Each structure stands twice: as structure tokens, then as C-alpha cells.
Amino acid sequence: MNRLIDRLSVEHRLPRADFVQLLSSFTPETADYAAARARDTAQAVFGKRIYIRGLIELTSFCRNDCYYCGIQRSNRRAQRYRLTREEILQCAAEGYALGFRTFVLQGGEDPYYTQARMTDIIASLRRNHPDCAITLSVGEQPRETYQAYFDAGADRYLLRHETADEAHYSRLHPAELSGAHRKQCLRWLKEIGFQTGSGFMVGSPFQTPENLADDLLYLAELQPEMIGIGPFIPHHETRFAHMPHGSVELTLFLLSLLRLMFPDVLLPATTALGTLDPMGREKGILAGANVVMPNLSPQDVRSKYMLYDNKIATGAESAQHIADLRARFARIGYEIEIGRGDSPRLKTTH
């Protein structure tokens, strides 16, 4: 197995059968070996620096009914909220004072945030903070809307493909959503010039090692600047409430594989990792990740953006506790980097 890890670190890609073999039968020893190679790879590009992004969760309304998501349209018990333009700008101002130079605006696909409203928010953020990067994560939109967001000043866009296999995609989403259209959106984002992020859930219902191998091969084709993966965690109000959560160990192993495939990619240690394991984000960094996204959302809405059960919403997850995060990462030999943290491959600025 170590031979395959070594080969991946040189060639940055393996045949599907080799990926399936790695994912089907990896051991703790294999994972440790991959993590060591991934750490060396990440440090060669980024040093021991961790980029921070300030997360602003805009809205818990969503027009979609994805079967795994706690804010799905049909969840009548979800706590719904929307941030106003003024609240969003205030969150960013507070984050800027704390040292953040990247803001991530994330939310459900909420029709309230029309193209006009969103471009106004983006342009206002750009005027107020011209030295900052603006990242959006607001789902599938028409190409012209993506273009308008880019023209208004957004730099990056995060849109997980979730699963590259169309049949698997259809088991996780209602019929009106398709994996093919999700991939089309990602192509548009790349064509427009966004620093583009994609990714997938680890251990989602019905997922197989073959599915994960296809996810890795799809990402090799897409060549995103950012990749976000995290373990699936069920939400008690969805049809997958009784499904087991994804494996932290498999997620960490996949982080290492992704770092070896994409030495210069921006790779977060996600909140979901920290939800399942108190040391999950530190383990993610040691497996090859180099990004964390503390929460800048107002305190009174953080617990309402509940995509899955027990999502971290307070404590070190909140941006105001960045000193604690700094100390936690210092204990494993890393430092938080204050700055935009652009992809080494593409430095799109406005």
C-alpha cells in the first residue's frame, strides 16, 4: 500500500482500481504513512501556516430538499433566519478587526437573496474591504448570475459536487436536482475565473469505495483551487436520521490522498471533523489540510444553521475565540496566517 502512496505523491493520480484498493483496505499504518507524506508535501508549499476564513452563514432558508441536509425545504422544524445586508456588513467589519482577510458567505439556496441583492452585498464588501477576498457558497445559480457575482467583486466560489456518480447522486437528492447540472455549474465557475472549490461527503448513505475513487478522479479532471471534504453526519429530521456517520479515519486518509494529488490546493479541516472528534481539526492539519473557517455569524443565529446534528456553533468555532484556535494549532507546531491566502495557482483579485 505504501508503494501506491509513493506513486501518488509523484504522479498525483492513480488508476481507478488502485484508488479502490487503497480506500477499501487501508490500515492505520497506511494512513500514518500517507499523512506523513501529505504533511511534507503541504509544508513544502505552504510551510507550517494555516489560512483562516471568516464564515458568515447568511440564511437557513433553502429551496432545495436534499435528503441529508438539516435545512432542507421540507423540514418544518428547522429554525429559519436571514441576515440583512447591514448584519452581513457588520459581521465582516467585526471580522476585519479580528484580522480576517477572507470572508465566506454561505447559505441555503434562498430566493430572497436575488442577484440584485447579492451583487449589492458583494460590491459593498468590496468597497469596505478592498484588501480582502470574498468567497461565496450559495449553491447552483444561472451562469449569468455567477458572472454578475464575479463582476461585483467576488473572488472564490465553493460548490461541492457531493458525489461524482449520477446514480449515487440521485439517491441523495430529489429528482429535480442532478449531478450533471452541479458539474455544469462548476465548469461555469471555472470558465468565469473564480477560484473554485468542490468536494464531497465521506461516508454518505450508500457510498462505496468505487464512488470515492470516482470522486478523486473527477477532482483530478476539474482541478479546483479548493477542496472541501468532511464526514457525513446525519440530521434527526431527515430520512437519513438513523444512518451511521462517516468515518473520521477515512476522512483523514482522504485528506492525505488529496494533498498528494494536489500539492498546492487549499484544503480545509472542516467543522464536521471537529464535531465528531474534539481534536478533529488538528488531526486534519496533520493529515495535510491547511485551512480553517471560524464562524463570524451573529451569536443568536449560529445554532440555527444546523446542517447536521451537534454542529459546533460556539467556543473555538466562533471567530471571537481565535486566540484559542491560535494556541491549539501552536501546540501541534503550526501558526495561523493573517492574509487573503489565495491559491498559489491563481491569484484572482479585484
Side-chain angles (χ1 to χ4, degrees):
M1 298 288 264
N2 289 357
R3 176 186 56 81
L4 291 177
I5 300 297
D6 290 338
R7 184 178 164 195
L8 183 63
S9 69
V10 174
E11 299 179 8
H12 309 304
R13 187 164 178 167
L14 293 173
R16 185 176 188 265
D18 288 342
F19 275 135
V20 172
Q21 181 185 353
L22 276 174
L23 295 165
S24 300
S25 53
F26 78 97
T27 64
E29 292 74 24
T30 303
D32 288 344
Y33 184 77
R37 295 300 303 266
R39 277 197 303 278
D40 290 344
T41 300
Q43 289 172 20
V45 179
F46 300 101
K48 289 192 169 184
R49 297 190 301 274
I50 302 170
Y51 296 123
I52 58 170
R53 283 74 163 94
L55 180 63
I56 303 172
E57 294 165 333
L58 305 179
T59 175
S60 63
F61 285 89
C62 190
R63 65 189 176 193
N64 293 331
D65 220 15
C66 304
Y67 299 153
Y68 49 83
C69 185
I71 63 169
Q72 60 183 227
R73 181 183 69 231
S74 61
N75 181 6
R76 297 183 179 180
R77 296 186 180 181
Q79 298 183 69
R80 307 294 184 180
Y81 73 90
R82 293 185 178 106
L83 297 186
T84 65
R85 173 184 179 277
E86 290 68 29
E87 286 173 322
I88 294 164
L89 297 180
Q90 181 60 33
C91 289
E94 292 174 2
Y96 191 88
L98 287 164
F100 287 85
R101 295 299 179 267
T102 289
F103 304 115
V104 180
L105 276 56
Q106 176 177 295
E109 293 187 19
D110 184 350
Y112 170 82
Y113 292 95
T114 60
Q115 180 176 309
R117 283 195 173 106
M118 280 300 298
T119 52
D120 177 52
I121 291 166
I122 295 163
S124 298
L125 285 169
R126 176 58 59 218
R127 284 193 302 271
N128 293 351
H129 308 290
D131 56 332
C132 292
I134 300 170
T135 303
L136 304 178
S137 182
V138 289
E140 297 182 15
Q141 305 292 340
R143 193 188 198 284
E144 57 269 24
T145 298
Y146 289 144
Q147 185 70 58
Y149 293 168
F150 186 79
D151 293 343
D155 303 279
R156 307 171 184 156
Y157 204 102
L158 309 178
L159 183 67
R160 286 185 176 185
H161 69 274
E162 296 300 4
T163 174
D165 181 84
E166 191 70 38
H168 185 215
Y169 195 95
S170 69
R171 301 185 76 180
L172 303 177
H173 301 85
E176 64 264 23
L177 300 176
S178 75
H181 186 262
R182 179 65 61 109
K183 292 175 182 176
Q184 178 63 69
C185 288
L186 284 160
R187 285 193 294 272
W188 287 336
L189 292 165
K190 293 279 284 185
E191 290 167 3
I192 289 167
F194 279 101
Q195 294 181 44
T196 303
S198 192
F200 53 89
M201 292 180 291
V202 179
S204 61
F206 320 116
Q207 188 180 71
T208 66
E210 288 78 10
N211 293 146
L212 288 170
D214 289 338
D215 288 325
L216 296 178
L217 292 171
Y218 170 70
L219 291 170
E221 174 189 340
L222 181 67
Q223 288 293 312
E225 286 73 40
M226 302 164 282
I227 298 174
I229 69 168
F232 164 74
I233 304 175
H235 188 285
H236 63 280
E237 290 292 339
T238 69
R239 66 174 63 189
F240 297 145
H242 302 295
M243 290 284 193
H245 63 70
S247 162
V248 169
E249 292 73 23
L250 180 55
T251 303
L252 295 171
F253 185 52
L254 280 158
L255 284 173
S256 297
L257 297 184
L258 287 165
R259 174 57 67 201
L260 296 175
M261 292 177 68
F262 306 95
D264 58 0
V265 80
L266 298 166
L267 190 63
T270 61
T271 301
L273 264 179
T275 297
L276 290 183
D277 184 328
M279 292 290 289
R281 279 171 293 191
E282 288 91 333
K283 291 178 180 178
I285 298 299
L286 293 173
N290 68 324
V291 174
V292 293
M293 297 197 294
N295 203 325
L296 283 174
S297 306
Q299 291 278 1
D300 62 341
V301 304
R302 289 180 188 170
S303 63
K304 297 177 182 178
Y305 194 76
M306 201 57 59
L307 306 182
Y308 48 82
D309 285 348
N310 303 313
K311 177 174 172 280
I312 299 171
T314 57
E317 174 61 17
S318 56
Q320 288 76 3
H321 292 75
I322 193 169
D324 178 56
L325 274 178
R326 191 184 299 275
R328 290 178 65 169
F329 291 126
R331 286 195 286 272
I332 60 172
Y334 285 77
E335 62 180 347
I336 287 176
E337 172 79 7
I338 300 297
R340 285 172 51 108
D342 284 294
S343 165
R345 275 184 275 153
L346 178 67
K347 294 188 176 181
T348 303
T349 58
H350 287 87

